[in-house]
Amino acid sequence: MPASKHSDELVENVLEMLLNGVWINEACRKNGISDRTLRRWRQDDDKLRSAVDDAQKMGYMKQLELAFGKLRNAKGRDGILRADKEIVHLEWIIGKM
């Protein structure tokens, strides 16, 4: 991808997507930057690092809430196991943050 400029609008779009539970690499790709570019921007700007980390946590918590809803509405063993696997995975990610 070509070098991109750090713009407030671009960062806001990425943060909004992260808050909605979109994975960071997907949010970057949809906004025309690489996750490596965002990582570099985060290293240079403590405020941005904090904002991205907070948005990711909130997004993961939103995904976790949805996964618990799937578990409550799961029908059959396979549905329960899928929802449980998703919950365990998200809890692991949140625990690593």
Side-chain angles (χ1 to χ4, degrees):
M1 289 185 185
S4 58
K5 297 193 181 203
H6 186 297
S7 74
D8 291 338
E9 182 181 344
L10 179 67
V11 170
E12 287 299 319
N13 288 341
V14 171
L15 291 175
E16 185 177 329
M17 292 181 80
L18 293 175
L19 282 170
N20 288 321
V22 176
W23 297 100
I24 196 163
N25 58 345
E26 182 75 10
C28 289
R29 186 179 61 76
K30 287 188 176 187
N31 283 284
I33 62 171
S34 70
D35 54 336
R36 179 177 282 176
T37 299
L38 183 62
R39 194 175 317 122
R40 191 181 69 240
W41 291 348
R42 289 171 64 191
Q43 289 173 348
D44 297 339
D45 185 348
D46 290 335
K47 187 177 176 182
L48 178 60
R49 180 183 308 127
S50 178
V52 169
D53 290 347
D54 291 345
Q56 274 188 297
K57 287 177 189 174
M58 295 301 293
Y60 290 146
M61 294 302 289
K62 187 174 187 176
Q63 287 181 351
L64 189 59
E65 288 177 20
L66 293 173
F68 275 114
K70 289 178 189 176
L71 181 61
R72 279 190 292 275
N73 296 326
K75 296 197 180 356
R77 182 176 174 268
D78 290 341
I80 292 170
L81 290 175
R82 259 193 308 278
D84 184 58
K85 184 177 179 181
E86 185 176 350
I87 290 168
V88 169
H89 178 71
L90 288 167
E91 287 175 337
W92 178 80
I93 289 172
I94 292 167
K96 302 274 280 175
M97 297 185 100

